[in-house]
Amino acid sequence: MKKLFHILFAFILTAHFSLLYLSCTQDGYEKGDGVYSLMQGDFVEAQVGADKKMVSLTTDDGVTLPLTQPYTASWITKADTLYRCMLYYNKTKDAQGRTAAEIISISPVPCASLVSLSKFRSKRELKTDPVKLQSVWMSKSGKYLNMHLQLMIGNPDDTTAIQQIAMVCDTVYAYPDSTRTCSIILHHDQNHQLEYYSTDAWLSLPVTGLPVDTFRLSVNTYSGPVVKTLPSRN
């Protein structure tokens, strides 16, 4: 059985990591019939075979697409695995005439496991250094809670500077009508980095099978605390 490759406790973001992402509004966008003219962007699960080559992907809309040609990258280190990715692609036809994806840019999206507050605090201090919260949404499939953040960094060329992010469950509320809400705190450790430039960071939290009706996410931003409530689609 294939497993989703993700980081079990927390994940590290560096300035270098953010460079893997391609912006839809980049100055190099081509109009007309250029390579970017029909480009689409989606979060996907990418299927990697025994040879560590990506052969197909499934979008969060539930559409499975073969690739026009197998794809590999240095960050693909596990065989027979599903990777969570941000994909920019063109829809085209493969050699068999099937609708397929022509990859323009693809990069891994960290998947965080939900950690209880007590377990987290047994290992390290919970921190809520501010971030810029761009968006929070549930995948149409209901499998992921997704976030788009911007982190502040001191030097965009420094690949050694690190920040830490984790998803921490502080409690699950049970109500008289039998509904349940999972309360989540975004842990962010700025790690004393200077805050001159912003860099994009994407993350997904797998939520399939969690026995709750809503998720209540608390994020400390530069404008103050923000709370977002999203319904579960399980």
Side-chain angles (χ1 to χ4, degrees):
M1 179 181 295
K2 292 181 172 61
K3 298 179 180 180
L4 181 68
F5 182 60
H6 65 281
I7 297 174
L8 295 176
F9 180 64
F11 57 88
I12 302 300
L13 296 171
T14 69
H16 177 70
F17 185 88
S18 69
L19 298 179
L20 295 172
Y21 297 100
L22 174 68
S23 170
C24 288
T25 57
Q26 64 173 321
D27 293 337
Y29 183 85
E30 298 178 19
K31 298 181 179 180
D33 297 326
V35 67
Y36 299 118
S37 60
L38 300 176
M39 184 176 68
Q40 297 179 232
D42 282 308
F43 272 31
V44 299
E45 288 181 347
Q47 180 178 322
V48 172
D51 58 358
K52 298 183 183 179
K53 290 184 178 180
M54 194 179 297
V55 293
S56 69
L57 49 88
T58 301
T59 71
D60 278 2
D61 288 339
V63 177
T64 299
L65 296 168
L67 300 182
T68 53
Q69 59 184 14
Y71 177 88
T72 190
S74 59
W75 49 265
I76 299 176
T77 59
K78 300 285 186 180
D80 295 318
T81 303
L82 292 178
Y83 277 82
R84 183 69 168 160
C85 299
M86 168 63 79
L87 171 74
Y88 291 96
Y89 66 106
N90 288 331
K91 274 189 178 179
T92 184
K93 299 292 184 180
D94 65 8
Q96 288 74 44
R98 301 172 298 177
T99 299
E102 177 188 28
I103 293 177
I104 295 174
S105 173
I106 188 168
S107 46
V109 172
C111 284
S113 289
L114 194 59
V115 183
S116 70
L117 182 59
S118 59
K119 182 178 180 180
F120 189 90
R121 281 181 168 163
S122 70
K123 296 179 179 293
R124 65 193 65 206
E125 178 186 359
L126 178 69
K127 293 191 175 183
T128 55
D129 293 334
V131 299
K132 294 181 179 179
L133 180 62
Q134 300 300 106
S135 58
V136 180
W137 72 100
M138 292 293 296
S139 300
K140 184 179 290 187
S141 63
K143 296 177 67 174
Y144 298 97
L145 187 158
N146 304 300
M147 297 181 65
H148 176 197
L149 307 173
Q150 284 190 329
L151 307 181
M152 299 302 294
I153 58 176
N155 182 351
D157 298 321
D158 184 0
T159 61
T160 63
I162 59 174
Q163 297 183 39
Q164 185 189 75
I165 289 179
M167 305 288 275
V168 180
C169 176
D170 63 334
T171 189
V172 175
Y173 297 99
Y175 302 105
D177 62 358
S178 298
T179 59
R180 293 161 60 88
T181 296
C182 178
S183 177
I184 301 171
I185 300 171
L186 180 73
H187 163 83
H188 173 228
D189 184 355
Q190 182 74 20
N191 197 28
H192 308 293
Q193 284 193 47
L194 299 176
E195 300 170 70
Y196 295 150
Y197 307 95
S198 62
T199 183
D200 287 309
W202 308 80
L203 66 101
S204 289
L205 174 68
V207 295
T208 300
L210 292 181
V212 298
D213 301 281
T214 54
F215 297 93
R216 182 179 181 272
L217 177 65
S218 300
V219 180
N220 188 29
T221 75
Y222 286 94
S223 300
V226 172
V227 176
K228 297 287 187 179
T229 301
L230 297 93
S232 170
R233 295 184 178 180
N234 291 326

